[in-house]
Amino acid sequence: MSDSFDVDLFVIGGGSGGVRAARIAAGHGARVMLAEEYRVGGTCVIRGCVPKKLMVYAGRFADEFADAAGFGWHLDPPRFDWAALKASRDAEVARLEGIYGRNLAGSGVEVVAERAVIEDPHTVRLGRSDRRVRAKFILIAVGASPVHEPLIPGAELALDSNGVFDLETQPARILVVGGGYIAVEFAGVFAALGTKTTLLHRGKTLLRGFDPEIATALGEAYAERMDLRLGRTVERLERHDGAIRATLDDGERLDIDCVLVATGRRPNVEGLGLDRVGITLDERGAIPVEADSRTSVPSIYAVGDVTGRAALTPIAIREGHAFADTVFGGKPWCVDHRLIATAVFSTPEIGVIGHNEDVARGCYGDIDVYKASFRPMKATLSGRNERVIMKVIVERASDRVVGVHVLGPDAGEIIQAVGIAVTMGATKADFDRTIAVHPTLGEELVTMRTPFVVKHPVGVG
């Protein structure tokens, strides 16, 4: 390291991408400092994926208790304790935060609990101590933060997806505004835990960008679990008789105890000092980067949600790892963003890899679509009105599987395994010659033999 630098790498942000980059770089012999102004672990561990899925698990016990009767179990009426769940969830988050901190320390990374701001291509300033640190390379890994939109009268009465984890008591009635991952997942959680839930979305279907058939099926399932309002917006919020009154675009009024606005997230770049070094944001407010995560300033890189490439924790981790290997390990590689398996932890759950029908037809022209829709075996005794939908999309010319979509129990687990095959370039013939595991949900993916006949191309007629 040159004497003109205090460290080889300064990481701004202690989330999944920043932590992975810091540890790998330190393992390659770099002297690394990491600044995190809140809690090490980032959105996923502290206020996102992990605590949210623990709440998803809690909600799904309600279905399990209800289903048990069909299998001969006789249970006293179960009772849910919000405070007990919150205490257990928060303790687990704290445990994981401690592990992150110990792993950084064990790797030789110096962690400072302060906000860091960029002053020039090789200098960051720490906010509380006003200390300046010279670094050969700077990595921006500050993630994204919830948008507080729409900006309507009374918007300050609503929570965002960070604040929802601070609720000390369970609301009796909640209005969730939004139609993406976060809104859908939290609406499912609150409804399952017994809160009277209204999910309101300005679009005609939930989960924009997902396969329309899957998104529509989720909407139908949610309409049975909660009050689903599509094609609607909120005009204003106000206090009324100890509650919150939401006035909708058609004049209807809803009285609720809590409002959660989950209409998206935006790269967390405000006040970071990017203007000082000439980094211009793109139209989405994200930091533009090359395939190797380098910004327009050669000494400054960025990974994770702040780049707007793919706002998923595993992507941030891989980008951070690739950056450290490339810059400090002499092993250059880039993350392939073309095929990303993902899940939505709604109830029913969704798992996806690859293209939906519309996109696949646009990319490849002639495609074959294989579908299965059925009642899961468990529902035959539980009596639950539940359906599983599976779709396999195949490029006809090459027989390659270019999309798999699953809606139903354990869809996330299924798509993780299927994602290996699709990433390797598996063909429909490869699926067909795979022996089914019976009886399982996943066996349907290897037993579909006849393509679904589409009378009109998707989106036409």
Side-chain angles (χ1 to χ4, degrees), residues 88-383:
S88 298
R89 183 201 67 202
D90 292 353
E92 175 60 9
V93 167
R95 186 185 73 85
L96 293 174
E97 180 186 10
I99 291 173
Y100 268 64
R102 289 192 294 274
N103 286 343
L104 284 167
S107 299
V109 177
E110 181 182 354
V111 178
V112 289
E114 296 187 53
R115 177 174 177 79
V117 176
I118 297 172
E119 292 211 329
D120 66 44
H122 292 284
T123 305
V124 297
R125 178 174 55 82
L126 299 175
R128 187 171 64 250
S129 62
D130 201 31
R131 174 185 174 192
R132 284 166 175 76
V133 180
R134 293 276 295 165
K136 187 174 182 180
F137 293 99
I138 297 170
L139 177 66
I140 302 170
V142 293
S145 55
V147 299
H148 295 89
E149 296 172 358
L151 294 177
I152 58 173
E156 69 279 359
L157 299 177
L159 297 174
D160 60 26
S161 57
N162 290 346
V164 73
F165 292 110
D166 296 326
L167 282 172
E168 295 293 339
T169 58
Q170 180 181 3
R173 303 164 296 178
I174 191 169
L175 170 64
V176 180
V177 181
Y181 279 78
I182 299 172
V184 161
E185 290 174 339
F186 273 115
V189 165
F190 279 104
L193 293 178
T195 294
K196 183 180 179 181
T197 303
T198 300
L199 175 58
L200 182 146
H201 177 46
R202 64 183 180 181
K204 296 300 182 183
T205 60
L206 301 171
L207 297 175
R208 179 170 57 90
F210 279 68
D211 185 272
E213 191 168 358
I214 297 293
T216 297
L218 179 67
E220 292 170 352
Y222 265 33
E224 295 184 4
R225 290 177 172 266
M226 66 191 73
D227 179 13
L228 178 63
R229 309 288 186 98
L230 297 175
R232 306 289 293 279
T233 60
V234 180
E235 295 295 309
R236 68 178 179 273
L237 301 173
E238 56 193 330
R239 293 287 184 188
H240 180 77
D241 288 343
I244 299 173
R245 172 163 288 179
T247 301
L248 308 187
D249 53 338
D250 63 352
E252 183 182 0
R253 294 173 177 177
L254 301 177
D255 287 342
I256 60 269
D257 303 297
C258 182
V259 179
L260 168 60
V261 174
T263 52
R265 297 176 67 85
R266 181 174 295 127
N268 193 23
V269 296
E270 186 175 354
L272 193 57
L274 299 178
D275 53 331
R276 296 191 186 101
V277 292
I279 294 178
T280 302
L281 304 177
D282 65 17
E283 66 278 1
R284 301 164 298 169
I287 298 176
V289 292
E290 302 296 331
D292 63 355
S293 297
R294 188 190 300 261
T295 71
S296 58
V297 179
S299 60
I300 301 178
Y301 289 71
V303 298
D305 295 6
V306 76
T307 69
R309 288 181 286 191
L312 296 167
T313 297
I315 294 296
I317 290 171
R318 288 184 68 83
E319 289 172 354
H321 198 140
F323 155 78
D325 275 352
T326 299
V327 175
F328 297 103
K331 299 182 292 184
W333 61 283
C334 296
V335 177
D336 185 350
H337 294 85
R338 292 174 297 175
L339 279 174
I340 300 172
T342 188
V344 181
F345 295 107
S346 48
T347 302
E349 197 165 291
I350 295 173
V352 176
I353 185 168
H355 300 311
N356 64 31
E357 284 191 53
D358 289 330
V359 175
R361 208 174 297 278
C363 290
Y364 306 110
D366 291 333
I367 62 171
D368 287 323
V369 179
Y370 297 80
K371 298 182 183 181
S373 177
F374 56 95
R375 193 180 188 191
M377 180 183 242
K378 186 177 180 180
T380 60
L381 294 189
S382 73

